[in-house]
Amino acid sequence: MPYDPSLPIGPQLRGILRQQVVQNELSPGTRISEAEIAQQFGISRQPVREAFIKLAEEGLVEIRPQRGTVVRRIDPAEVLDARFVREAVESDIVRLLVEKRDPALVRELRRQIAEQKKLAECSPKDFIRSDERFHRTLAEGAGKGNVWTILQGLKSQMDRVRFLSFDLYRNDRLIDQHEAIIDSIEQGDDEGAEEATRRHLRAVLEDLPNIMRANPDVFIEAPEDQI
């Protein structure tokens, strides 16, 4: 796990561990040790402890006094809450973009779509990274880059689900939804842009029950009426 020794280790360590949990490289129930990670990185245990605390605040790990730290299972309620917040925020973001009608932004978004079409058959990491860049570009284009940063902690569980369910998604469907958002922005259709965004982000509502059934050991069991 490489890191840049010229930069503060704490944020880097948190990012590395977060990525491993989100991408299911550290699966739910995995015990992670302060001492082992500190030794692996050649650092003291203090920044490791701080990274664990930050990850616990995101709901990614559970710190159990006297028993160690383990990767948490995914709580479906947290996934749905994150989707709710994202839908509200990103719907407003695309309305702001319709007001701005920035041709340069539209060109950049279409360039990203072309890239996504090339990546559609590649690894989940490559495609999801491109999808993440698309949504971040929308936020930054609306002058809401800081809002997107805030959303990162809120949507951790959604991101975990995306990596688990990559094989269940049709990438061409996701790309079509992205294109519908761009088309509405370019046409100045604020209602269309909002509707396309909401439809895009509500896909998880349809897919989550199937994802949970396919990965029962990864999720905290939730009542059927909550998913």
Side-chain angles (χ1 to χ4, degrees):
M1 294 185 289
Y3 70 97
D4 186 342
S6 68
L7 299 173
I9 181 60
Q12 293 185 80
L13 180 60
R14 176 192 174 192
I16 290 168
L17 294 175
R18 182 185 189 279
Q19 177 177 293
Q20 291 180 336
V21 174
V22 167
Q23 296 182 2
N24 206 37
E25 295 167 10
L26 288 173
S27 57
T30 301
R31 188 177 300 275
I32 51 178
S33 163
E34 280 186 18
E36 290 178 2
I37 292 176
Q39 182 178 25
Q40 188 173 8
F41 280 84
I43 58 177
S44 72
R45 293 175 63 166
Q46 183 60 31
V48 181
R49 186 174 302 115
E50 292 172 356
F52 282 7
I53 291 171
K54 291 293 186 181
L55 293 173
E57 290 173 354
E58 282 193 56
L60 296 176
V61 304
E62 180 181 357
I63 300 173
R64 299 173 176 174
Q66 311 305 319
R67 291 186 294 168
T69 299
V70 298
V71 177
R72 281 187 72 220
R73 290 193 292 171
I74 300 171
D75 186 338
E78 293 177 11
V79 176
L80 298 181
D81 285 347
R83 184 215 60 82
F84 182 85
V85 173
R86 277 195 69 181
E87 181 179 327
V89 171
E90 294 196 50
S91 293
D92 279 351
I93 281 173
V94 295
R95 280 185 171 273
L96 291 174
L97 293 175
V98 168
E99 291 178 11
K100 294 183 71 172
R101 298 283 293 275
D102 182 354
L105 175 65
V106 170
R107 287 195 296 272
E108 168 58 20
L109 293 171
R110 293 209 184 278
R111 185 198 65 77
Q112 291 184 23
I113 291 296
E115 178 185 85
Q116 288 176 11
K117 290 177 179 178
K118 293 178 182 178
L119 293 173
E121 303 302 323
C122 296
S123 72
K125 292 181 183 179
D126 290 335
F127 187 84
I128 292 174
R129 188 180 299 116
S130 177
D131 176 76
E132 184 84 359
R133 183 163 58 251
F134 177 85
H135 287 273
R136 185 177 68 247
T137 300
L138 291 173
E140 291 174 348
K144 300 298 180 184
N146 288 337
V147 173
W148 183 251
T149 300
I150 293 169
L151 281 178
Q152 296 310 297
L154 294 175
K155 69 185 190 67
S156 299
Q157 306 300 356
M158 277 190 77
D159 291 340
R160 295 175 77 185
V161 169
R162 292 168 71 202
F163 276 95
L164 277 174
S165 60
F166 187 80
D167 291 339
L168 299 178
Y169 282 105
R170 287 179 48 208
N171 291 331
D172 57 344
R173 183 184 69 168
L174 296 178
I175 293 170
D176 287 346
Q177 292 170 352
H178 286 169
E179 288 188 307
I181 294 170
I182 300 171
D183 289 344
S184 293
I185 292 172
E186 186 174 37
Q187 295 162 10
D189 181 359
D190 55 358
E191 292 187 3
E194 177 177 343
E195 175 57 30
T197 300
R198 291 185 183 277
R199 184 166 57 249
H200 177 55
L201 293 174
R202 285 176 182 173
V204 70
L205 296 176
E206 303 170 7
D207 298 328
L208 187 57
N210 290 332
I211 297 167
M212 291 177 65
R213 281 191 287 270
N215 302 273
D217 296 334
V218 173
F219 289 87
I220 296 171
E221 187 173 353
E224 286 291 330
D225 61 357
Q226 292 185 16
I227 59 176

